[in-house]
Structure formats: structure tokens, C-alpha cells
């Protein structure tokens, strides 16, 4: 028998053999989660869905308490999608007495959701690192809906040499454009109607970029003006950023993205859209 020596990160992962697909969620599963689970089922021998309302990523106790929980319905969604295993730990199981390690993905966590919800991404990065270490998936599926989270997960996954690959999945939307979110259930009917203004503002900005507007400030003004017309919406941020660093950009370039967050009554909604590069075909 020859002893195999592996010298690359990719090589050692491959040598470790078969591993499942993983879809980390906080439950209250909707068609967005369903799409991630079905993709994992299609691409992996086995799929694990984690359902864990991670307390450390909530900066507001009331938000944690109000977060929807629907475990029995979730099990039906997971089973119908064809996944094999649900990992549903308690908070004590995830964070046993003496737990002391946290992960900060500094630069990427500072702005946007990180500024509005201090500590949020420390909670996200830490729980994702635990899940990836524990389950050692071949592929872990994350939604573009949470774009900043996705970039942070990709960074920590690369930096800590965590197993598998991170697969990004497109945002699933309702017919009026609103990105599906477990929080949408908390919108009153009039708020739900007004909420479509967020994706519409993003699409307006992408349309302007497609038509040659390259000045980020001009795009942001147009998006803000569109949101100002919608009833009940308060803008938290609306910004044109570099899609990799998430730093604000003055001029649209390849990979530019708009990130937006609004408040509607007591509910906070986020969304984002890719901007076409200046020289891409219309
Ligand atoms: P959550 O349960 O909100 O923590 O979300 C679990 C995973 O589902 C995350 O990777 C999210 O980005 C993803 N996700 C949530 N909503 C959507 C959506 N509308 N479309 C696609 N992915 C989503």
C-alpha cells in the first residue's frame, strides 16, 4: 500500500470521500428554502437541512421572540423536497457551557446589515463555521437574498479552510417581485402591498444602469425617490456597492450590486440586485 500525501486544501477534501449537501436554515421554510433544498437533493447523494433559530445572530430580543417557528410544517417541506436528514439542535447543544469562540469576518461585516445590527454577523459566521465543521458537507447552499451574509460565508469558508464548496442560489420571489422571507408573514396586508416597492426600486436602478447610467449617486437618488412614493416605507440603506468587497462605489463597474434595507411597520426587509456591467448587452 502506498501512503498518499496530499498537499492542497482541495486535495485533502477530495481524499476524505463522500459528504452530504447542507442547507442551513432558521426554519419557517418557504419556496426560497425549498429551492435550495431541491438543488441540494439534485446535486448530492444525501442532503442535510439544519433548522436552528440562532439566538446569537439576533440583536433584538423582541425580533428573536417574534421570529416565526413552524417545525412540523418545516418537516413536511423538507420531506417533500426529498432531503434525508434534519439537524435541529437546541441552543444549549450548539453553545454548550463554556462556549467561548466567536468568528468575526471584519471588513465585510462592518457596513449595511452589520451597521444596523451590531453583532449579527458574528453570530452568523460562528454558527455557519460550527455547522460546516460538524457536518462537513460537500456543498453548502446559501441564498443570494442575503447577499452580505453570502459574501461573509464565502470569506470565512475560504479563510478557515472549511470543507466543501459554498453554492450560491438565486433569490426566489413572489409574483410582484418581493423576495420571499420568513419575515413577510409578519407584514399586515397594506404593508405587504407596499413592500413590493423595494424590489421595484432595485429593478428601476438596474434598468437605468442597463440604459447607460453609470453614476451611483444618480441611481441611488432614483431608487430613493421611487421608495419615497411608497406608503409606510422607511429606508434603512440603499447603496451601490462593489459586489465582492461590499464597499460603496461611485461608478458602476463589473460586479456592482445594489443593497437595500427598509422598515415597514415593525418589520425589516432586505433585498439586492446585480447591476449590469456598463458594456454588457442590453
Ligand atoms: P434563513 O432561514 O432566513 O436563515 O435562510 C436560510 C437560507 O435560505 C439562507 O441561505 C438564505 O439566504 C436562503 N433564502 C432565504 N430566503 C430566500 C429566497 N427568497 N430565495 C433564495 N434563498 C433564500
Amino acid at each position: 500500500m502506498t501512503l498518499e500525501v496530499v498537499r492542497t486544501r482541495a486535495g485533502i477534501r477530495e481524499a476524505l470521500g463522500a459528504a452530504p449537501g447542507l442547507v442551513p436554515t432558521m426554519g419557517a421554510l418557504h419556496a426560497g428554502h425549498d429551492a435550495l433544498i431541491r438543488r441540494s437533493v439534485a446535486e448530492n447523494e444525501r442532503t442535510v437541512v439544519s433548522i436552528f433559530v440562532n439566538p446569537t445572530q439576533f440583536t433584538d430580543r423582541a425580533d428573536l421572540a417574534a421570529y416565526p417557528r413552524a417545525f412540523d410544517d418545516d418537516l413536511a417541506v423538507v420531506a417533500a423536497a426529498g432531503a434525508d436528514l434534519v439537524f435541529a439542535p437546541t441552543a444549549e447543544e450548539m453553545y454548550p457551557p463554556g462556549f467561548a469562540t466567536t468568528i468575526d469576518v471584519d471588513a465585510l461585516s462592518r457596513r449595511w446589515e452589520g451597521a444596523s445590527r451590531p453583532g449579527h454577523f458574528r453570530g452568523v459566521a460562528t454558527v455557519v463555521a460550527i455547522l460546516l465543521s460538524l457536518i462537513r458537507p460537500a456543498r453548502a447552499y446559501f441564498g443570494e437574498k442575503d447577499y452580505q451574509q453570502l459574501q461573509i460565508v464565502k470569506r470565512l469558508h475560504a479563510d478557515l479552510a472549511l470543507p466543501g464548496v459554498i453554492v450560491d442560489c438565486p433569490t426566489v420571489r413572489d409574483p410582484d417581485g418581493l423576495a420571499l422571507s420568513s419575515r413577510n408573514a409578519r407584514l399586515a396586508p397594506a404593508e405587504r402591498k407596499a413592500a413590493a416597492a423595494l424590489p421595484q426600486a432595485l429593478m428601476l436602478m438596474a434598468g437605468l444602469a442597463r440604459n447607460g447610467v453609470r453614476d451611483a449617486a444618480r441611481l441611488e437618488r432614483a431608487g430613493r425617490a421611487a421608495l419615497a412614493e411608497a406608503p409606510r416605507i422607511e429606508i434603512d440603506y440603499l447603496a451601490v456597492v462593489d459586489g465582492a468587497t461590499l464597499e460603496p462605489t461611485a461608478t458602476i463597474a463589473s460586479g456592482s450590486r445594489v443593497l437595500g434595507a427598509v422598515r415597514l411597520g415593525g418589520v425589516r426587509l432586505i433585498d439586492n440586485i446585480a447591476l449590469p456591467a456598463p458594456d454588457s448587452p442590453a
Side-chain angles (χ1 to χ4, degrees):
M1 197 181 112
T2 42
L3 183 62
E4 191 180 358
V5 178
V6 177
R7 295 196 190 275
T8 64
R9 295 181 186 204
I12 190 69
R13 281 183 200 140
E14 203 181 309
L16 285 169
L22 170 66
V23 184
T25 80
M26 298 206 300
L29 302 180
H30 51 62
H33 299 112
D34 187 59
L36 269 59
I37 299 168
R38 286 178 191 271
R39 177 146 177 207
S40 175
V41 168
E43 295 178 356
N44 300 278
E45 286 285 306
R46 280 163 71 74
T47 288
V48 180
V49 177
S50 63
I51 298 178
F52 179 57
V53 183
N54 178 32
T56 66
Q57 72 189 66
F58 285 81
T59 47
D60 174 0
R61 276 174 178 278
D63 190 29
L64 173 61
Y67 199 83
R69 288 159 174 88
F71 192 65
D72 292 341
D73 292 346
D74 290 347
L75 292 185
V77 172
V78 172
D84 303 275
L85 207 66
V86 167
F87 179 54
T90 60
E92 295 70 32
E93 181 69 29
M94 286 298 268
Y95 305 110
F99 188 96
T101 304
T102 54
I103 294 176
D104 281 299
V105 184
D106 277 338
L108 288 171
S109 301
R110 223 171 281 142
R111 293 181 188 271
W112 321 123
E113 288 307 283
S116 295
R117 306 172 70 192
H120 167 67
F121 284 126
R122 176 178 304 136
V124 170
T126 304
V127 81
V128 169
I130 298 169
L131 289 170
L132 294 178
S133 305
L134 199 61
I135 294 166
R136 303 189 60 76
R139 297 172 197 82
Y141 296 80
F142 290 86
E144 277 182 359
K145 149 84 172 31
D146 300 284
Y147 189 81
Q148 188 175 13
Q149 168 176 288
L150 175 63
Q151 301 313 308
I152 288 169
V153 166
K154 285 182 175 172
R155 187 75 255 162
L156 87 93
H157 172 264
D159 289 352
L160 300 182
L162 291 169
V165 292
I166 304 300
V167 182
D168 33 331
C169 302
T171 302
V172 178
R173 299 174 180 280
D174 269 339
D176 67 355
L178 181 65
L180 297 186
S181 162
S182 308
R183 291 196 160 86
N184 294 355
R186 283 165 54 197
L187 295 169
E191 291 165 351
R192 169 63 193 81
K193 206 166 160 220
L198 175 58
Q200 280 159 12
L202 297 179
M203 282 188 284
L204 172 82
M205 294 169 76
L208 290 171
R210 199 170 299 114
N211 289 333
V213 178
R214 300 185 59 181
D215 178 37
R218 206 176 132 197
L219 289 182
E220 285 170 17
R221 274 199 304 277
R224 281 173 189 277
L227 282 171
E229 282 178 25
R232 298 161 206 262
I233 287 193
E234 251 178 78
I235 301 174
D236 188 343
Y237 58 79
L238 184 71
V240 178
V241 303
D242 177 279
T245 65
L246 306 183
E247 291 297 310
T249 50
T251 307
I252 306 310
S254 165
S256 291
R257 208 154 183 112
V258 185
L259 305 182
V262 300
R263 271 172 223 282
L264 249 172
V267 184
R268 200 160 168 286
L269 300 175
I270 61 170
D271 202 350
N272 67 91
I273 198 167
L275 292 179
D279 50 3
S280 70

